[in-house]
């Protein structure tokens, strides 16, 4: 089984990002591999952003010189980062990671409320289909995601990433649709990458919400990903302040709350000072 790789560090993400002309680069050195995005920021110059990487033992990489670097950490603890000269910028976020297995184990891992909602949805007369997402930036599910993001005031990956992903890695973006009498009620998009999958998009209309379409779609996506031999499903960020209902929904699948390592800055000349920061700063 391929070890899970975060979406942002996957080769499929690099291929999709390049189709969108994003400044993304795949790097490798000393047995490590990582994906970085290079940007020029006012007053700072060129900055390399690495999100949830690098992949492998990172002690030497953390301490290596090389201009301004920003790390959205997923692994190194604060003491290791401080010792390597990194400055803390933002406190850690949390994501929901669902280990995958056989259908019985997955169903047993559901919370009681989640299992009851799924049972009602299974009896609501909806038909679920799955197929590769067409590489169409104007596809209805992407337009629906854009409208939903505006209405609810959240920001994530732009919907066009899913279309680029579908074009760059055929079959890598999978579309699950709940419909009734041929009319879509809800849609879900999974992005498949090394050893893992990420829930990228989930949209539902009023009739779909009333029928409980999203639990049914996510359940079918869980079964499909498990059948493919994937190790885990990344359900995205847990935001208990602004979206507590969605956080409970994600954790109700049996997912574990995985705390990330925060956002850190490495600036060569400042590294010795960062090592002397008060522990309370991290």
């Amino acid at each position: 089984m391929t070890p899970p790789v975060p979406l942002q560090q996957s080769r499929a993400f690099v291929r999709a990002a390049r189709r969108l002309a994003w400044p993304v680069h795949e790097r490798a050195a000393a047995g490590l591999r990582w994906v970085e995005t290079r940007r020029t920021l006012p007053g700072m110059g060129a900055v390399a952003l690495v999100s949830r990487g690098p992949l492998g033992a990172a002690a030497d990489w953390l301490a290596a010189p090389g201009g301004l670097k920003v790390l959205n950490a997923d692994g190194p603890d604060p003491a290791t980062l401080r010792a390597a000269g990194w400055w803390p910028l933002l406190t850690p976020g949390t994501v929901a990671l669902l280990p995958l297995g056989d259908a019985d184990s997955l169903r047993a891992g559901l919370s009681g409320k989640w299992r009851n909602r799924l049972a009602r949805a299974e009896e609501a007369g909806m038909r679920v289909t799955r197929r590769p997402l067409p590489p169409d930036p104007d596809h209805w599910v992407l337009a629906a995601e854009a409208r939903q993001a505006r209405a609810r005031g959240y920001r994530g990956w732009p919907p066009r990433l899913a279309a680029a992903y579908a074009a760059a890695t055929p079959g890598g973006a999978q579309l699950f649709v709940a419909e009734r009498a041929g009319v879509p009620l809800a849609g879900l998009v999974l992005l498949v990458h090394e050893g893992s999958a990420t829930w990228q998009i989930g949209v539902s209309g009023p009739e779909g919400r009333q029928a409980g379409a999203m639990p049914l779609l996510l359940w079918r996506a869980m079964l499909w990903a498990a059948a493919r031999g994937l190790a885990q499903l990344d359900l995205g960020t847990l935001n208990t302040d602004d979206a507590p209902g969605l956080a409970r929904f994600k954790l109700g699948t049996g997912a574990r709350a995985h705390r990330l390592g925060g956002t850190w800055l490495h600036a060569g000349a400042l590294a010795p000072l960062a090592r002397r920061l008060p522990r309370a700063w991290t």
Side-chain angles (χ1 to χ4, degrees):
M1 182 178 290
T2 304
V5 172
L7 173 65
Q8 301 94 317
Q9 290 297 316
S10 70
R11 293 183 171 92
F13 176 82
V14 172
R15 291 192 293 269
R18 285 175 176 165
R19 290 188 72 92
L20 297 171
W22 293 356
V24 171
H25 306 275
E26 190 172 12
R27 308 294 192 196
L32 298 178
R33 183 177 71 81
W34 69 94
V35 175
E36 66 182 34
T37 302
R38 299 198 67 86
R39 300 189 182 278
T40 300
L41 301 181
M44 297 182 69
V47 178
L49 169 64
V50 179
S51 185
R52 298 181 68 179
L55 303 176
D60 292 341
W61 180 89
L62 290 173
L68 290 176
K69 295 183 286 189
V70 174
L71 173 66
N72 290 328
D74 184 4
D77 59 56
T80 299
L81 287 160
R82 283 161 48 92
W86 290 77
W87 288 73
L89 296 180
L90 296 173
T91 56
T94 303
V95 296
L97 300 180
L98 175 66
L100 297 173
D102 62 82
D104 290 341
S105 297
L106 286 172
R107 192 132 192 160
L110 302 175
S111 71
K113 184 176 181 179
W114 217 101
R115 195 179 301 114
N116 290 338
R117 292 176 66 183
L118 175 59
R120 289 195 297 271
E122 289 174 326
E123 297 173 355
M126 290 178 286
R127 175 173 175 260
V128 174
T129 63
R130 179 202 56 79
R131 65 182 180 117
L133 176 72
D136 176 9
D138 297 320
H139 191 277
W140 70 264
V141 77
L142 306 184
E145 165 66 10
R147 290 193 301 270
Q148 180 174 276
R150 288 194 298 269
R152 298 183 181 177
Y154 64 82
R155 293 184 62 185
W157 293 113
R160 69 181 185 277
L161 172 65
Y165 204 99
T169 304
Q174 293 288 323
L175 171 65
F176 296 77
V177 177
E179 58 183 40
R180 191 178 278 158
V183 177
L185 305 182
L188 180 149
V189 175
L190 280 191
L191 301 184
V192 180
H193 37 99
E194 294 111 299
S196 185
T198 293
W199 178 18
Q200 179 67 10
I201 290 172
V203 295
S204 183
E207 189 177 350
R209 288 191 290 272
Q210 184 176 7
M214 197 52 62
L216 180 60
L217 286 181
L218 184 52
W219 172 247
R220 294 292 183 85
M222 291 160 57
L223 294 179
W224 180 85
R228 279 184 59 98
L230 301 180
Q232 79 179 12
L233 180 57
D234 188 332
L235 301 179
T237 303
L238 293 172
N239 187 339
T240 55
D241 293 326
D242 300 323
L246 181 57
R248 288 192 297 269
F249 177 77
K250 292 177 179 180
L251 293 175
T253 64
R256 62 185 178 89
H258 174 65
R259 184 176 169 86
L260 301 176
T263 301
W264 298 73
L265 170 70
H266 193 281
L270 298 177
L273 297 177
R275 297 185 184 102
R276 296 197 294 270
L277 282 176
R279 188 173 300 275
W281 279 38
T282 59

